Each structure stands twice: as structure tokens, then as C-alpha cells.
Amino acid sequence: MYGIYTMRALIITRLSRQVEESTSAERQRKDCQELCQREGWEVIGVAEDLNVSAGKTSPFERPELRKWIGDGKDNEGRMHEIDVIVFWRLDRVVRSIIQMADLLRWLEQYGVAMKSATEPHIDLTKPMGKLIPMLVTSFAEMELEAIRERITADQQHRLKSGKYRGARTPLGYKAVKAEDGTKVLVPEPEQVKLIHEIIADLFDGKTANAIARDLNARGVPSALDLHRKVLGKKPLGGRWHGGHIYRALQSPTLLGQIEVSDPILDKRGRPVLKNGKKQYGERYVLRDESGNPIVRAEPIVSAETFSKVQKLIEDRSLTVTNPRESIALLTGVLYCGYCGQPAYK
């Protein structure tokens, strides 16, 4: 006589941020375990992804979950061990109709069902169970878009109020807490000193590439590593390049102004994505209703110095042609003894 087969269940929990008590990982796990106990299912594992956004990652991209379900393509993970996936609520799993469709296809391929611990209508262990998850996911997707719009509106309000919105700080500044609890930008002494040294070298006739080589030779951290240093993070070992120098010196953030860029939208008004990331247009200075630049921090350089730097950079760009298009007697003959690159002038 054959025994009764026991379904093997994988529990999924996820949190975007570990702050909301009502959807804590512990509560999610407890409710899912109670469901498995009622159904007589054996819990073989828990895939718990904390501080992971469902809007930014698919189920196959989450660190813990993908160990069990694979990548949705070639790697099956441990799908052969699972009979049913149990989750607290559908938005803990997906926030996109496309993601839901991909997951359903993958589960069907391996004969794995899904069931919600708190939503009785979402039960793929029963016939005709696919339609409801697709409908619920469509609403979750709309909710996520509404959340994104609210966040964007809040960030725009913070910017126009001269507040710091939490992105990477511009070169020369660091973020500190103000008396009202919000963060503001203040000059960072080490970075300010570096910027003035670079400007002095530029006025002394050094090229941006020469300045970059000097900074690298002296072991000066890159702009990104200087930012990470302020945050107490480990440097990544980036190097300076001439382009970095020019971009830093041409940025109006040196005047304490705010530079932003807007997402590129398609014909339907939806953000254009590339490799899952929003694409942005050219950067511009944020202005108030009178058309004046909004200043949110103490300037690092004076308006006069900034203007002189822009004039110098412009003059150099007008006098230097594309070296690979130039024609000279030494082209392809003389090479630099320092870097080994061909000399064009």
C-alpha cells in the first residue's frame, strides 16, 4: 500500500525596507508556516530577501530566492525539490505583469504551484488559478507606479526647497543633518582644497590629462572614492581622467546650484528603460519661478572664478582639434616617453 505523498513547500518572504512592523519578515514567515501546517505540507526552506525591491528586481534576480528557483532560463536552481511556493502576499513576489507571466511559465515547466497565506483567492494548487494572480499583479504594478510618482514629486519638492534628496553628493560637498532633521549640503574641506588646486594647475597651463596623471601618481582618491570616504565606505580604487576634471569644473554645483536631469519618456509617456534602468536626458540647472538658479549650498568657488574657468576650458576646446584628424610631420613618428601614446602636436 502506497503512503500519502507530502507536498514540499518553499516559503518566500521579502521586504523593501526593514522598518514596517505590519509586514515584518517574521510575520510573513509565521503566517506562511501556519498555512503549511494546516495543509500538511513540509517546509523545506525559506527564501528571505531583505532590503530588496520587487519593483527593481525580478524573482530570478533576488539573492536568496534565485538559489531555489534558478534564473528562469538555463539554471533550474532547486526547482526539482519544490512542489509549492508559499508567500505572504503576491506583492512580496512580483510587482509586474511581465514578471508574473515569466514566473508562471517557469513554475508550470517544473510542475510547481503557488499559494498565498493571506489571499485565499490566489491559489494555484487548484484549477483555473492563473487568472487571479495576473489581475492582482496588474493592480500591484499600478500601485508601484503611483508610489514612484509620489517619491519623484517628493524629491522635486525637496530640490526646489533647496534640500538634499539623498543622491550622491557633488564633488566638494558632504551631507549633514540640519536642526530640523533634514539633510543639507556643506563644503567638505579636503575636497574643496583639491578643487582649488586643480583650478590653479589649470590656470598655470597644465592640461586636464596632465592634472589627472598627477593626481593618480600622488594617490589622490577619485571623486567617487572621495564620496565613499566621507560615508566611511571602502574605496573602489578608481582613477582620475581628464574628462573627470572637466566635468567637475564645468558643473554649476561648484556655485552651490542644483543640477538635475529628467527621465526620457516614450510616446506613451512612460520612462525609457535600458537593461532595466531608466534613461535620463541632459543635465540642467534647476531654477525658481523667476528663472533664477536655486542655490542650496555655500558656493565652493566665486562666480568670477567659475566664469574664468569656463572661458579657459572653452578657449582650449576651440584651439585643440581632434588629434586623430590632425596632420603633422610627427604624427605616427614621435611617441611620449612617459605614457607611450603617439604625439599629435
Side-chain angles (χ1 to χ4, degrees):
M1 181 175 180
Y2 295 101
I4 299 175
Y5 179 77
T6 301
M7 296 272 281
R8 299 165 298 178
L10 170 69
I11 292 176
I12 293 178
T13 63
R14 184 193 63 79
L15 277 180
S16 296
R17 297 182 181 87
Q18 299 186 62
V19 294
E20 192 172 344
E21 186 64 28
S22 62
T23 58
S24 68
E26 291 77 11
R27 178 182 175 182
Q28 293 181 41
R29 188 165 54 249
K30 179 177 178 292
D31 289 346
C32 290
Q33 287 171 337
E34 289 178 353
L35 169 66
C36 292
Q37 188 175 6
R38 290 195 303 270
E39 296 287 347
W41 297 340
E42 176 192 359
V43 177
I44 62 170
V46 178
E48 185 171 85
D49 288 300
L50 305 180
N51 290 321
V52 176
S53 168
K56 295 181 179 179
T57 62
S58 76
F60 304 105
E61 295 171 331
R62 292 167 204 156
E64 294 303 317
L65 182 54
R66 70 184 175 196
K67 293 177 183 178
W68 286 91
I69 68 172
D71 61 6
K73 298 175 182 176
D74 305 317
N75 178 13
E76 68 174 21
R78 300 173 62 179
M79 287 292 287
H80 60 281
E81 301 178 31
I82 308 168
D83 295 310
V84 58
I85 290 177
V86 178
F87 48 89
W88 188 67
R89 204 171 61 195
L90 189 58
D91 64 4
R92 299 298 93 190
V93 185
V94 293
R95 283 268 193 165
S96 159
I97 291 181
I98 294 177
Q99 291 180 6
M100 185 75 255
D102 288 342
L103 183 59
L104 287 176
R105 172 193 55 78
W106 187 249
L107 296 179
E108 185 176 1
Q109 181 177 335
Y110 291 94
V112 177
M114 291 178 66
K115 186 174 176 64
S116 170
T118 61
E119 303 158 310
H121 51 284
I122 301 180
D123 184 357
L124 273 70
T125 63
K126 297 178 180 179
M128 302 298 293
K130 293 182 181 179
L131 179 60
I132 297 298
M134 295 295 285
L135 291 174
V136 173
T137 305
S138 67
F139 287 108
E141 188 172 11
M142 287 188 290
E143 180 188 7
L144 179 61
E145 189 59 35
I147 292 173
R148 285 172 173 165
E149 290 178 0
R150 288 197 297 270
I151 292 174
T152 300
D154 178 66
Q155 289 179 339
Q156 288 293 326
H157 175 72
R158 284 174 175 268
L159 284 173
K160 292 180 179 179
S161 301
K163 303 293 184 181
Y164 170 62
R165 66 176 180 178
R168 175 180 164 184
T169 54
L171 180 64
Y173 292 96
K174 64 179 179 179
V176 299
K177 271 193 176 181
E179 294 181 357
D180 61 359
T182 61
K183 288 188 175 182
V184 295
L185 294 182
V186 298
E188 202 287 315
E190 180 183 355
Q191 296 181 31
V192 171
K193 180 181 178 182
L194 175 63
I195 290 171
H196 284 282
E197 287 180 358
I198 291 174
I199 291 176
D201 286 342
L202 204 64
F203 281 128
D204 283 343
K206 282 189 177 181
T207 65
N209 286 332
I211 296 173
R213 285 196 297 269
D214 179 58
L215 293 177
N216 292 327
R218 288 161 47 195
V220 177
S222 66
L224 175 58
D225 281 346
L226 286 172
H227 171 69
R228 294 179 65 85
K229 181 180 179 180
V230 172
L231 298 178
K233 295 183 178 181
K234 184 179 179 180
L236 300 176
R239 295 176 60 81
W240 287 93
H241 298 281
H244 297 163
I245 302 292
Y246 277 148
R247 280 195 294 274
L249 297 184
Q250 289 178 303
S251 174
T253 56
L254 295 178
L255 298 173
Q257 299 174 6
I258 306 172
E259 198 176 28
V260 297
S261 60
D262 298 324
I264 299 174
L265 305 179
D266 60 20
K267 294 179 180 179
R268 295 180 295 173
R270 303 181 66 175
V272 174
L273 302 179
K274 185 177 181 180
N275 297 327
K277 295 182 179 180
K278 287 184 180 180
Q279 299 301 295
Y280 290 83
E282 294 184 2
R283 301 184 68 81
Y284 62 92
V285 174
L286 196 62
R287 301 177 181 273
D288 59 22
E289 295 179 355
S290 302
N292 299 315
I294 297 175
V295 178
R296 65 173 171 183
E298 177 186 342
I300 291 176
V301 300
S302 67
E304 180 182 5
T305 299
F306 185 78
S307 179
K308 288 181 179 179
V309 170
Q310 306 317 303
K311 180 72 165 54
L312 178 62
I313 293 175
E314 183 181 358
D315 289 345
R316 287 189 178 181
S317 66
L318 291 175
T319 56
V320 178
T321 60
N322 185 339
R324 299 189 184 279
E325 294 178 355
S326 61
I327 299 175
L329 294 175
L330 296 180
T331 299
V333 177
L334 184 65
Y335 288 79
C336 175
Y338 178 78
C339 66
Q341 296 297 313
Y344 295 100
K345 290 186 64 178

